[in-house]
Amino acid sequence: PETGCLSIIVLGASGDLAKKKTFPALFNLYRQGFLQSNEVHIFGYARTKISDDDLRGRIRGYLSQGKETDEVSEFLQLIKYVSGSYDSGEGFTLLDKAISEHEISKNSTEGSSRRLFYFALPPSVYPSVCRMIKSYCMNKSDLGGWTRIVVEKPFGKDLASSEQLSSQIGELFDEPQIYRIDHYLGKELVQNLLVLRFANRLFLPLWNRDNIDNIQIVFREDFGTEGRGGYFDEYGIIRDIIQNHLLQILCLVAMEKPVSQKPEHIRDEKVKVLQSMLPIKDEEVVLGQYEGYKDDPTVPNNSNTPTFATMVLRIHNERWEGVPFIMKAGKALNSRKAEIRVQFKDVPGDIFRCQKQGRNEFVIRLQPSEAMYMKLTVKQPGLEMSTVQSELDLSYRQRYQGVVIPEAYERLILDTIRGDQQHFVRRDELKAAWEIFTPLLHRIDNGEVKPIPYKPGSRGPAEADELLQNAGYVQTHGY
Ligand code: BG6
């Protein structure tokens, strides 16, 4: 691993994302020894005029579940605050000065200097912040090192706006310097997908259209857009969840075996999946909006924004022709869950007549309580020769007792420091993802496709279950 001075700059330091996700993730990395106090310094930057201690005070409550431990105090001492605007050289000159002082005081004569800029900011300021960093804050050490930026969705609102943003950033930074976070790629069971698929002989011959009937990728939340209505209404559930989080999962489920584990090899295969996608058909989309969504004062009364969507995606290639990938995401539903369900075809010539009990189904539950289970038909224990559906169950909590599963952001930030781009979205991947959804999104934005109202706390519109059935999904026990 590289050594030398490391400066982590959190832009938008007083905002929600920084407080709730970025700083706690940095703290956890610090606690586990991944950030050494003799190397690292953290800078918060935002417009608000506050002191170092004010910022520390704002963050403190989010670390270590609010407990005031020695580790928390030591960590907070690593944080300095600089205030300034996002489009003026003044603030960024001050920021550069603060970083340089830290570099000089630490080690710059011996080692390289590494500068990691974490954008906890609204995307509208990305272009100007990139320009400011490029003009004032790049690593200047002759001894090597790097400058990297970490950015998070929304990357635009459709293909054109996303491409515009990509070019603006791309003119200033090279692709290896840009880390586009999709935090679902940092989840334990998402990271497990490639191992599962390509390190198990069992799955290799089964993972195709000959054996798999349909695949569902599901995200449910049991709360609405509380407090985020204004943001959410501009984007909707497709841009917020499906076009990024669920699509990334789909790529990992559907891609061919990469040449090696190298990030570029993996990302090459993911892009091919996206490029093989057929246009989405209107009749294979059901949108919903929960009742009460528009009561939020920040949401317009005539909002057409979906808070729920089920749709079928189809991949036009040799492995997946004819297999529906059913994407489903919704807010204010009856449960909080994210899972992948791979449903196998019926057994041909079934001598046990057990089909009614259900098909083989392989379920990967990302959250809550990470688990994988395979639904199998077995003989009902006892004297009779009858069958029953049961499960081979790998529940992480039981199997890996005492193992702490790292938070997605923690893992991904560590990757950015290490320079590993495997779990980040490449520019061509982003473009291909927008190509798939832009026509549908434009039709929704123009009011040509409308969401169906559903009750908060329900399964969403009944029409979505019909779509699921039409796509071939057979309801199994316990679903
Ligand atoms: C974010 C979305 O990307 O992911 C939110 O903007 C959503 O709307 C969140 O609530 C879900 O993340 P997680 O990790 O809690 O499933």
Side-chain angles (χ1 to χ4, degrees):
E2 291 167 295
T3 53
C5 188
L6 172 64
S7 305
I8 301 175
I9 303 101
V10 181
L11 301 152
S14 51
D16 249 24
L17 176 68
K19 274 190 307 208
K20 292 185 182 156
K21 300 286 184 192
T22 322
F23 285 114
L26 290 172
F27 172 67
N28 281 339
L29 290 174
Y30 171 75
R31 215 169 36 84
Q32 295 169 80
F34 290 110
L35 302 177
Q36 300 287 341
S37 52
N38 60 354
E39 281 184 1
V40 75
H41 218 102
I42 300 169
F43 298 88
Y45 184 91
R47 280 178 306 202
T48 332
K49 289 204 164 54
I50 51 171
S51 68
D52 293 350
D53 275 340
D54 290 338
L55 179 68
R56 293 172 188 151
R58 289 183 186 200
I59 300 166
R60 187 175 276 117
Y62 294 94
L63 310 177
S64 200
Q65 280 138 11
K67 279 187 253 128
E68 185 59 45
T69 62
D70 287 349
E71 276 173 336
V72 169
S73 324
E74 287 157 21
F75 172 76
L76 288 173
Q77 285 313 309
L78 296 176
I79 303 177
K80 276 210 156 57
Y81 182 74
V82 179
S83 93
S85 76
Y86 296 121
D87 55 5
S88 84
E90 222 174 301
F92 283 87
T93 307
L94 282 177
L95 180 61
D96 181 62
K97 199 163 155 261
I99 303 171
S100 302
E101 275 166 15
H102 156 63
E103 287 172 347
I104 292 162
S105 77
K106 291 277 155 119
N107 65 356
S108 279
T109 48
E110 294 157 29
S112 57
S113 81
R114 297 169 287 164
R115 296 184 175 194
L116 183 72
F117 289 86
Y118 192 102
F119 288 39
L121 293 169
S124 53
V125 300
Y126 286 4
S128 78
V129 170
C130 285
R131 271 196 308 277
M132 292 296 130
I133 295 172
K134 185 77 185 187
S135 312
Y136 299 99
C137 296
M138 299 295 282
N139 162 41
K140 298 168 211 48
S141 166
D142 299 334
L143 297 159
W146 43 254
T147 304
R148 291 181 186 146
I149 62 168
V150 186
V151 287
E152 182 145 7
K153 67 153 179 105
F155 306 112
K157 289 191 74 177
D158 59 5
L159 179 60
S161 51
S162 164
E163 275 296 281
Q164 190 190 5
L165 185 61
S166 288
S167 328
Q168 286 168 330
I169 300 179
E171 278 164 22
L172 300 164
F173 293 95
D174 298 331
E175 190 62 24
Q177 297 178 294
I178 307 171
Y179 288 72
R180 296 180 196 84
I181 277 205
D182 180 315
H183 81 282
Y184 266 60
L185 290 177
K187 294 198 186 262
E188 183 65 39
L189 285 201
V190 175
Q191 297 208 338
N192 188 40
L193 283 169
L194 292 193
V195 179
L196 199 66
R197 286 193 53 206
F198 300 120
N200 289 291
R201 181 65 194 243
L202 179 71
F203 290 118
L204 295 177
L206 292 182
W207 213 257
N208 54 41
R209 64 193 298 268
D210 300 333
N211 302 291
I212 292 176
D213 189 274
N214 63 77
I215 296 182
Q216 259 190 86
I217 304 176
V218 184
F219 166 97
R220 303 159 184 268
E221 262 176 358
D222 54 1
F223 48 91
T225 57
E226 285 106 30
R228 297 172 74 223
Y231 153 80
F232 189 86
D233 199 69
E234 253 191 76
Y235 292 93
I237 198 79
I238 299 177
R239 293 182 178 97
D240 191 45
I241 304 288
I242 300 183
Q243 186 261 4
N244 31 69
H245 303 331
L246 300 196
L247 195 63
Q248 284 295 327
I249 296 173
L250 180 146
C251 286
L252 295 169
V253 169
M255 68 187 245
E256 296 301 314
K257 187 193 275 191
V259 176
S260 78
Q261 269 195 67
K262 289 205 182 99
E264 292 324 318
H265 288 156
I266 293 171
R267 301 197 295 178
D268 287 347
E269 295 305 329
K270 286 167 70 188
V271 174
K272 286 185 206 160
V273 173
L274 299 173
Q275 290 171 340
S276 312
M277 210 79 87
L278 293 173
I280 302 169
K281 292 190 195 140
D282 275 355
E283 60 273 24
E284 292 197 315
V285 178
V286 172
L287 304 178
Q289 187 187 74
Y290 67 85
E291 292 168 6
Y293 168 69
K294 286 184 284 206
D295 296 346
D296 181 331
T298 57
V299 172
N301 288 334
N302 60 352
S303 168
N304 195 47
T305 302
T307 59
F308 173 99
T310 297
M311 65 182 71
V312 179
L313 298 185
R314 295 179 182 275
I315 301 169
H316 182 64
N317 69 13
E318 199 173 318
R319 184 182 293 274
W320 297 117
E321 184 76 57
V323 179
F325 284 77
I326 306 157
M327 314 291 265
K328 191 167 168 181
K331 300 235 168 216
L333 297 178
N334 54 348
S335 61
R336 174 171 182 261
K337 202 186 263 187
E339 61 185 10
I340 306 162
R341 305 183 78 94
V342 180
Q343 191 167 77
F344 290 87
K345 288 183 188 281
D346 290 333
V347 174
D350 168 27
I351 57 169
F352 296 105
R353 304 198 186 288
C354 57
Q355 227 86 95
K356 277 204 199 75
Q357 288 162 355
R359 293 166 160 176
N360 290 143
E361 194 170 8
F362 181 44
V363 184
I364 302 165
R365 188 166 67 225
L366 315 180
Q367 64 192 36
S369 324
E370 292 84 351
M372 287 187 266
Y373 54 95
M374 174 74 95
K375 294 186 178 237
L376 298 179
T377 300
V378 298
K379 180 186 160 305
Q380 172 90 53
L383 287 176
E384 301 301 328
M385 193 58 191
S386 58
T387 60
V388 68
Q389 199 175 57
S390 191
E391 285 163 9
L392 274 180
D393 193 353
L394 171 60
S395 155
Y396 273 44
R397 202 176 283 163
Q398 273 169 15
R399 189 80 179 103
Y400 300 109
Q401 275 176 27
V403 177
V404 178
I405 296 181
E407 275 286 316
Y409 278 98
E410 205 176 307
R411 214 187 294 253
L412 294 175
I413 292 177
L414 188 60
D415 284 347
T416 64
I417 297 170
R418 291 175 167 167
D420 181 348
Q421 290 194 307
Q422 173 176 341
H423 304 293
F424 294 82
V425 183
R426 205 166 65 184
R427 180 172 172 176
D428 53 347
E429 225 176 316
L430 180 65
K431 177 167 186 257
W434 278 115
E435 275 166 358
I436 298 165
F437 290 97
T438 295
L440 171 64
L441 288 167
H442 282 172
R443 286 202 295 282
I444 300 172
D445 293 344
N446 297 335
E448 290 161 38
V449 194
K450 293 211 181 307
I452 302 165
Y454 62 94
K455 293 244 173 307
S458 70
R459 284 177 56 82
E463 286 83 346
D465 284 336
E466 279 164 34
L467 177 62
L468 213 67
Q469 270 176 22
N470 293 341
Y473 184 74
V474 176
Q475 196 101 345
T476 54
H477 179 69
Y479 178 61

